[in-house]
């Protein structure tokens, strides 16, 4: 019960890493608002009275504001924010990625962090506490070819994490990130371009521990970084990657 009495928002919480984090946080005693483009009502029902679901487009400021208002209405407070929602473009030469895909990647992966900060940091400052966790990627540390603009967006997220941590530390707000290696989530096929045994084997060959990451891997790291056990940790971008970035 390391998160007992705390309330968390998990963006992109309907599936993949986000759903894993939501399940872990409820198991550790937190109330969780599952925010996603797709209404996660089934997951909220599964998790019981400690969970709610709200439709949110993190690339739109008004939608993020409504998400925060809905969380306060449901639970009365907010202590933790997980910026997990993310997207990618399909593997392609950097000059062949469309402007539309570029804009979408940076709106969802980067501008969303601006929006959540704009609408939630004032509340955290007022209460003198808060934990923000940004879900970045090993692609932002050790880029993969043909995912150039996705790599760049996650590198941005790591730098933003450190900048936010330095600025918000005097207000009692901690900001960290995790850098997951590829997991068997809905985004995996988009990263690979095609889902075949050969392509999967190629991806796995870059991970020393020899397996894809799981939602549980990310949830365990997120739980620690957002708990009081990590009260002296801020500005860290933790690689949860089976050794890929060594």
């Amino acid at each position: 019960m390391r998160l007992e009495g705390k309330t968390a928002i998990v963006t992109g919480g309907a599936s993949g890493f986000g759903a894993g984090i939501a399940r872990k946080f409820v198991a550790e005693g937190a109330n969780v608002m599952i925010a996603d483009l797709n209404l996660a009502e089934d997951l909220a029902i599964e998790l019981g009275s400690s969970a709610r679901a709200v439709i949110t487009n993190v690339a739109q400021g008004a939608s993020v504001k409504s998400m925060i208002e809905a969380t306060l209405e449901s639970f009365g407070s907010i202590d933790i924010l997980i910026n997990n929602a993310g997207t990618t473009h399909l593997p392609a030469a950097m000059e062949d990625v469309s402007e539309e895909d570029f804009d979408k990647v940076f709106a969802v992966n980067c501008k969303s962090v601006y929006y959540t900060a704009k609408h939630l940091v004032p509340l955290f400052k007022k209460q003198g506490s808060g934990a923000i966790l940004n879900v970045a990627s090993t692609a932002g540390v050790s880029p993969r070819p043909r995912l150039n603009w996705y790599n760049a967006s996650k590198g941005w997220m790591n730098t933003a994490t450190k900048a936010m941590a330095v600025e918000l530390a005097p207000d009692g707000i901690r900001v960290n990130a995790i850098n997951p290696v590829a997991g068997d989530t809905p985004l995996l096929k988009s990263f690979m371009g095609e889902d075949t045994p050969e392509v999967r084997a190629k991806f796995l060959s870059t991970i020393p521990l020899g397996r894809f990451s799981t939602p549980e891997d990310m949830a365990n790291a997120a739980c620690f970084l957002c708990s009081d056990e990590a009260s002296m940790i801020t500005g860290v971008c933790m690689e949860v990657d089976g050794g890929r970035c060594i």
Side-chain angles (χ1 to χ4, degrees):
M1 303 299 283
R2 288 179 290 175
L3 303 177
E4 188 171 11
K6 296 184 184 296
T7 295
I9 296 172
V10 182
T11 69
S15 62
F17 294 153
I21 291 170
R23 288 188 173 97
K24 176 69 174 179
F25 277 34
V26 168
E28 292 285 349
N31 295 316
V32 175
M33 178 60 79
I34 306 163
D36 201 288
L37 269 175
N38 303 304
L39 184 62
E41 195 62 41
D42 289 347
L43 179 57
I45 292 171
E46 171 196 326
L47 297 179
S49 61
S50 295
R52 300 284 190 279
V54 61
I55 294 176
T56 305
N57 183 344
V58 296
Q60 295 181 356
S63 186
V64 170
K65 185 173 184 287
S66 294
M67 170 191 78
I68 290 166
E69 291 171 348
T71 307
L72 290 172
E73 184 177 339
S74 294
F75 300 117
S77 63
I78 305 171
D79 306 284
I80 299 166
L81 167 68
I82 311 292
N83 282 313
N84 169 73
T87 191
T88 185
H89 55 82
L90 294 174
M94 65 179 74
E95 68 272 22
D96 292 335
V97 174
S98 70
E99 185 173 356
E100 181 183 8
D101 282 348
F102 177 94
D103 287 344
K104 180 182 178 183
V105 165
F106 276 81
V108 175
N109 294 359
C110 303
K111 198 167 187 179
S112 62
V113 178
Y114 162 78
Y115 282 137
T116 56
K118 181 177 180 64
H119 293 293
L120 189 55
V121 162
L123 175 65
F124 281 176
K125 284 184 173 181
K126 185 176 180 180
Q127 66 194 29
S129 65
I132 298 172
L133 183 74
N134 296 324
V135 180
S137 171
T138 53
V141 181
S142 179
R144 290 185 183 273
R146 297 173 59 80
L147 287 171
N148 192 80
W149 307 118
Y150 173 77
N151 298 332
S153 73
K154 292 303 188 176
W156 180 97
M157 208 170 195
N158 282 323
T159 299
T161 296
K162 295 177 182 181
M164 293 168 72
V166 170
E167 180 169 335
L168 297 179
D171 296 292
I173 303 165
R174 298 187 301 108
V175 187
N176 292 294
I178 54 175
N179 285 307
V181 75
D184 200 351
T185 70
L187 274 182
L188 181 61
K189 185 177 180 180
S190 297
F191 292 135
M192 296 191 300
E194 56 179 339
D195 192 353
T196 67
E198 293 76 19
V199 174
R200 282 189 172 234
K202 184 178 179 181
F203 257 66
L204 283 173
S205 70
T206 68
I207 305 171
L209 282 183
R211 67 171 176 85
F212 289 115
S213 65
T214 68
E216 291 75 23
D217 294 324
M218 299 312 133
N220 290 334
C223 181
F224 167 68
L225 288 171
C226 294
S227 75
D228 292 340
E229 293 175 353
S231 62
M232 192 58 178
I233 300 175
T234 195
V236 164
C237 299
M238 179 187 290
E239 291 150 19
V240 189
D241 67 348
R244 180 186 178 276
C245 289
I246 295 173

